Amino acid sequence: MNSGINAVLEAAKNTVIQHEILLNNLSNIDTTGFREQTFSLILDKKKNNVLKNKEYYLKPVVSYSDKPGSIQETNRLLDIAPLQNYWITLKNPILNQEMYTRNGHMSIDSKNRLTVNNYLVLGEKGYIVIPNYENINFLEDGTIIYTIKGKKKYLGKLKLTWLRSKDVKKNGYSFCYDIFNKTIENKKIKENNELMNEKKIKSKSLETSNVDLTKNLLQSIDCCRKFDFYTSIVGHDIENNNLLNKFVDINS
């Protein structure tokens, strides 16, 4: 197969990858805190084992958009919307590792601990126990206050992690993300330099998905058209090769 057709097949493959990403974005347009995936191609090198050299090719790169979703007020005491690039930190008890989400639709488990989709929400000093959620208030920095008999009691502070969407990766849970190691140093720098009065969350609210419906629909249609174009080129090439083989057979 010639290099031209190989390039067409590679382009078709990348188009399929992009289309799957767009469809996933569209299917999560109503998912709280969902981050839109983006697709791009960059020039990279790969080793050619036959020619013993390196050649350039277009490498697909999938990342996430930092564009914030809109904030919707819910008036529900256990709902919070992370602001800027702050993420709610959860604990995966099975893998014993941290996960990150912008889905602030929280609940309380049988042990009065804060959870998101049954995963424990981490505070700066461990899990957060809520004695009576009807009397709690989330402050803008993530501090949780419990009011009883007119007196306010400190319950804890949410562990809010500063992350760029380009440095997160999807894990096996639809509402959670993991981080690459390279973000840890940047995260520490942010934590050391942040202002104490910086607004990190908005209470009684949720962040909607940041998926751009119109853009994803148009790009999805464009992908379908491109794929049809690429497959037609390959089809014509196969047809021409068949005709050439018949001609050779007749004249041999």
Side-chain angles (χ1 to χ4, degrees), residues 135-194:
N135 297 312
I136 68 168
N137 184 33
F138 288 88
L139 304 185
E140 292 176 336
D141 66 349
T143 298
I144 306 172
I145 301 297
Y146 174 59
T147 304
I148 181 171
K149 296 181 179 180
K151 294 183 178 180
K152 294 183 179 180
K153 180 181 178 181
Y154 174 83
L155 293 181
K157 188 176 183 180
L158 295 172
K159 184 176 182 180
L160 298 167
T161 305
W162 175 272
L163 293 172
R164 294 285 187 181
S165 292
K166 66 180 181 179
D167 294 322
V168 300
K169 59 181 179 179
K170 207 75 181 71
N171 60 24
Y173 306 91
S174 60
F175 60 97
C176 287
Y177 300 78
D178 294 327
I179 61 172
F180 297 117
N181 289 333
K182 65 181 181 181
T183 65
I184 295 176
E185 183 177 353
N186 293 333
K187 179 180 68 173
K188 289 180 179 178
I189 293 173
K190 174 60 186 175
E191 289 174 348
N192 291 334
N193 295 335
E194 68 185 5

Side-chain angles (χ1 to χ4, degrees), residues 89-108:
T89 308
L90 306 178
K91 187 65 174 288
N92 185 332
I94 299 175
L95 301 177
N96 194 32
Q97 66 183 26
E98 293 183 354
M99 304 187 299
Y100 307 91
T101 184
R102 292 187 67 89
N103 180 355
H105 186 66
M106 297 186 290
S107 302
I108 297 176

Side-chain angles (χ1 to χ4, degrees), residues 85-130:
N85 291 309
Y86 285 103
W87 294 65
I88 300 166
T89 308
L90 306 178
K91 187 65 174 288
N92 185 332
I94 299 175
L95 301 177
N96 194 32
Q97 66 183 26
E98 293 183 354
M99 304 187 299
Y100 307 91
T101 184
R102 292 187 67 89
N103 180 355
H105 186 66
M106 297 186 290
S107 302
I108 297 176
D109 69 5
S110 59
K111 296 181 179 179
N112 291 335
R113 298 173 299 183
L114 277 180
T115 63
V116 173
N117 284 21
N118 298 318
Y119 287 91
L120 292 168
V121 176
L122 284 180
E124 293 186 342
K125 296 183 179 181
Y127 305 133
I128 300 175
V129 177
I130 306 295

